[in-house]
DNA sequence: CGAGTTTTTGAAGGACATCAACGTCTGTGG
DNA sequence: CCACAGACGTTGATGTCCTTCAAAAACTCG
């Protein structure tokens, strides 16, 4: 596991790949300078080092953002679900990679229009600011997880977080595979797998659909682990 | 080491402690609604859960921000040096704690004045936005460190980062003690200490002044470790 | 100088990684 | 619809990096 890109996906820089822009009726979010884009499982939205021409808001599906070290080690800093904003950064180049975890639709906004966008639509500006601050909050929480939690606690926190962010009952349908979870939690896939089976043994969760669906059987028990 | 607060420091919520506001002539940064505050070593600027009335910019000294788990485990997400902005968050309450590592002077800005501040002084708004994005970038880098680097790599990255952010030659005068470094890097103080002595043995660094000053003897060697 | 704090060093243990093999699922073509 | 290949996930055995527990050394400040 050394590439950030998924196995069969081709590398298509987002800035060049404007195909996939739909002609759907535009909602309030989609003012001028915003374009809807579609990405298949494993496709790259942008890569570390790419020009940060656009930033994005997820319409549907899941996007992973993260960094890749020279020797192949990977850290996924966040999964972005519907409504989340990603790709807004300080420099003029992207400092991390963004890829589609499953079938994804995003709205791309030109960063150069950031100021005018905010000026024309202050509410949108507020929303963006809030989205960035949410990202920062999440980053802080995730640093605690990475630096100070055990594998069991990491897994419990992750599952509860996914359950909270997803609609639906105490059942999480994970869009990502074990490798992604491992690289998000700072673990190996083996430890992720072992931790999940231990949780099943302890009656905390139940697995279904090839381990992709996780029923939170004992939410209170999990919350006890979510330090 | 179970409290976030340092040993002999009293807990003084910043919002109440407006003593220490100086009458110094104000620079460009210090518009109305901005107040200079001073904190002694270990003093609390604000605590997790406090009303997020103010956000801050460091004038001099070093501030640590981070979180404390119920059982005493601590994660310091960042050290803020002169010029850095901290305490700007999404909710109306602070989600983490901020404390003075050494003698610190900050400028406190009312968050409620954020909009008008930005309106009256667009350059200041730009600066703030940039500061936040810098914080986010740093958070991303730190997640890679916490999730995927070895103790040696963590220490090398930390030292190079401190050297880069501090003025001066290849010599870092660390304002914080080992406990803070450990809680920043997701290690124990013993591992921090052992890693430093190993670096000395390997000729990468030299220690001086009770281990508080670190000379980067082999910067290239350290950069090799900074994956 | 001496008490308390901070740092270093040592010995032993444990949580997670690594290496390896097997099981299971998915999608495609016969 | 079934068979098969490749991808994905689980399980097992062993190793190692870092933690934990313990104590001594060095530093700080009255």
């Amino acid at each position: 596991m050394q590439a950030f890109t998924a196995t069969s996906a081709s590398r298509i820089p987002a800035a060049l790949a404007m195909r996939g822009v739909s002609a759907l009726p535009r909602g309030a979010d989609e003012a001028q300078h915003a374009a809807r884009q579609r990405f298949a499982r494993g496709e790259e939205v942008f890569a570390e080092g790419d020009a940060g021409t656009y930033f994005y808001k997820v319409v549907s599906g899941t996007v992973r953002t993260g960094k890749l070290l020279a020797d192949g080690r990977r850290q996924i800093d966040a999964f972005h679900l519907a409504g989340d904003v990603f790709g807004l950064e300080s420099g003029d180049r992207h400092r991390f990679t963004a890829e589609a975890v499953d079938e994804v639709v995003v709205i791309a906004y030109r960063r150069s229009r950031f100021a005018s966008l905010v000026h024309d639509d202050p509410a949108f500006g507020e929303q963006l600011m809030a989205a960035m601050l949410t990202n920062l909050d999440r980053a802080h929480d995730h640093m605690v997880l990475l630096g100070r939690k055990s594998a069991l606690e990491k897994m419990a926190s992750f599952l509860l977080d996914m359950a909270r962010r997803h609609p639906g009952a105490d059942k999480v349908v994970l869009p990502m595979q074990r490798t992604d979870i491992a690289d998000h939690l700072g673990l190996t896939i083996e430890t992720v797998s072992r931790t999940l089976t231990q949780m099943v043994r302890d009656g905390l969760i139940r697995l279904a659909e090839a381990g992709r669906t996780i029923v939170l059987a004992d939410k209170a028990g999990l919350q006890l682990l979510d330090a």
Side-chain angles (χ1 to χ4, degrees), chain A residues 14-53:
Chain A
L16 301 174
M18 286 304 278
R19 87 268 173 287
V21 175
S22 82
L24 288 174
R26 318 212 139 171
D29 283 337
E30 290 175 86
Q32 65 278 37
H33 312 301
R36 196 170 274 249
Q37 287 179 260
R38 177 177 292 277
F39 295 92
R41 186 166 193 273
E43 256 186 312
E44 186 175 85
V45 179
F46 58 79
E48 200 173 336
D50 280 1
T53 314

Side-chain angles (χ1 to χ4, degrees), chain A residues 119-166:
Chain A
H119 184 268
D120 296 352
D121 184 353
F124 182 68
E126 292 285 317
Q127 211 183 317
L128 268 186
M129 181 60 116
M132 278 178 47
L133 288 171
T134 299
N135 283 347
L136 199 52
D137 279 356
R138 288 223 183 97
H140 285 142
D141 286 336
H142 204 58
M143 283 190 265
V144 176
L145 180 148
L146 290 172
R148 287 301 179 211
K149 291 189 182 178
S150 69
L152 204 59
E153 292 171 331
K154 285 177 176 180
M155 205 65 223
S157 299
F158 174 69
L159 292 177
L160 288 170
D161 188 49
M162 289 303 285
R164 194 170 39 71
R165 291 170 67 194
H166 264 299

Side-chain angles (χ1 to χ4, degrees), chain A residues 40 46 67 70 112 118 152 156 158 163 183 200 212 226:
Chain A
F46 58 79
K67 298 190 171 226
S112 58
V118 171
L152 204 59
F158 174 69
D183 286 344
V200 171
R212 280 307 186 89
D226 188 9

Side-chain angles (χ1 to χ4, degrees), chain A residues 62-79:
Chain A
T62 304
V63 172
R64 62 173 178 253
T65 54
K67 298 190 171 226
L68 197 58
L69 296 180
D71 61 0
R73 282 177 289 178
R74 187 175 71 151
Q75 179 63 43
I76 292 175
D77 48 59
F79 293 110

